[in-house]
Every structure is written in C-alpha cells, then in structure tokens.
Amino acid sequence: MTFLIIIHVLSAIIGVGPTFFSHVLLRNNQSLEELRASLKMAHRLELFPKIGGSIALITGLLLVMIGNYGKFAQLWIIGSLVAYALIQIIVIAVISPSQKKLTGWVLDIAHRNEKTLPDVQSKLFVKVSNLYYGPTALGVILFIMMIVRPS
C-alpha cells in the first residue's frame, strides 16, 4: 500500500507539475528567440502529464478501491476526479490547439528573422498564456483536496 501511495504522489506531481511551469515558459517580455526555446520546452513537457497524469489517475482509483478511504462517492474523491478531468479537458481541448498554432508560426523557418510577434500571434500568445491560469488553479485545488482529505 505504501508503495502505491508513493507512486500515486510522485506521478501526480510529475503529471500535474508541468502545468505550473507554463506560466514561466509563456511569460511576457521575452524575446522571440526566448519564446522559441520556451515553446520547444513546453512541447517536451507535454509528455509528463500524459504519462504521469494517467498513472496518478489509475493509482488513485486503486487506492480508493483497496485502501481504507471509505465510500467512493465522497466529495473529496469526486471533486478530485472532476478537477483532474477539467485540467485535462482545458489543456488538451482548449489550450493545445491554440498553442500548436502559435508554436507552428514561431518555429516556422520562414519566420526565423522576425524579431517580434505580429499582432495575430501576439493575441494568440496572450490567450494561451492566460488560459493556463485555469488548470493551474485546478491543480492547486486538486493538491489541496489530496492533502486535507478525510483520514
């Protein structure tokens, strides 16, 4: 049981953690070259939520089934699952398509000599950057629910 808890906690941190880095990677006032590097890093970090988040979900469900946590229909369990699902939906369905458009333009070899983002891409950058506040807030709520859950 302890091993499963360790796997669950580590995979949750690894799985949700990159969401918190998005604000650093998509910060304002960076040069276009810095943004290129940031978007490349963001692309690499996408793998962690897919693997870590999936493992956290599976181990969390296993812990509830085999552990001494009470009934499945508790607010903290349902709330945690909803928060996790919303994070995935927002990142995958809402943020990723816009971020891919931005990344495509920024990394396009035809725009290598550009020094600043044009207006359309600048608005897309702000949109993507601002959208990450939702998953970040949900991630904080998710971790709070995991920490203060009933014993």
Side-chain angles (χ1 to χ4, degrees), residues 50-108:
K50 291 175 184 172
I51 295 171
S54 298
I55 293 170
L57 179 63
I58 292 166
T59 56
L61 292 172
L62 281 172
L63 284 168
V64 170
M65 287 188 276
I66 65 173
N68 194 15
Y69 296 101
K71 293 182 180 179
F72 182 80
Q74 295 177 66
L75 182 61
W76 73 273
I77 295 173
I78 301 299
S80 298
L81 289 170
V82 168
Y84 176 77
L86 287 173
I87 291 169
Q88 296 301 315
I89 291 167
I90 293 168
V91 170
I92 293 168
V94 179
I95 296 174
S96 284
S98 295
Q99 187 167 329
K100 284 180 183 173
K101 284 182 192 175
L102 177 65
T103 301
W105 187 92
V106 168
L107 298 180
D108 187 339

Side-chain angles (χ1 to χ4, degrees), residues 25 27 29-39:
L25 293 174
R27 68 194 178 281
N29 301 324
Q30 59 182 315
S31 71
L32 193 51
E33 198 54 42
E34 290 171 323
L35 181 59
R36 284 185 182 103
S38 292
L39 288 171

Side-chain angles (χ1 to χ4, degrees), residues 16-27:
V16 178
T19 303
F20 297 105
F21 287 107
S22 301
H23 300 287
V24 175
L25 293 174
L26 297 176
R27 68 194 178 281

Side-chain angles (χ1 to χ4, degrees), residues 1-11 59 63 69 149:
M1 184 76 142
T2 302
F3 180 72
L4 191 58
I5 292 170
I6 291 169
I7 297 297
H8 178 68
V9 170
L10 289 176
S11 63
T59 56
L63 284 168
Y69 296 101
R149 64 172 170 63

Side-chain angles (χ1 to χ4, degrees), residues 30-32 35-36 101-102 104-108 110-127:
Q30 59 182 315
S31 71
L32 193 51
L35 181 59
R36 284 185 182 103
K101 284 182 192 175
L102 177 65
W105 187 92
V106 168
L107 298 180
D108 187 339
H111 305 292
R112 276 285 179 209
N113 294 328
E114 300 280 340
K115 298 296 179 199
T116 59
L117 286 174
D119 193 44
V120 171
Q121 282 72 28
S122 184
K123 288 178 182 176
L124 193 55
F125 171 81
V126 170
K127 174 186 173 185

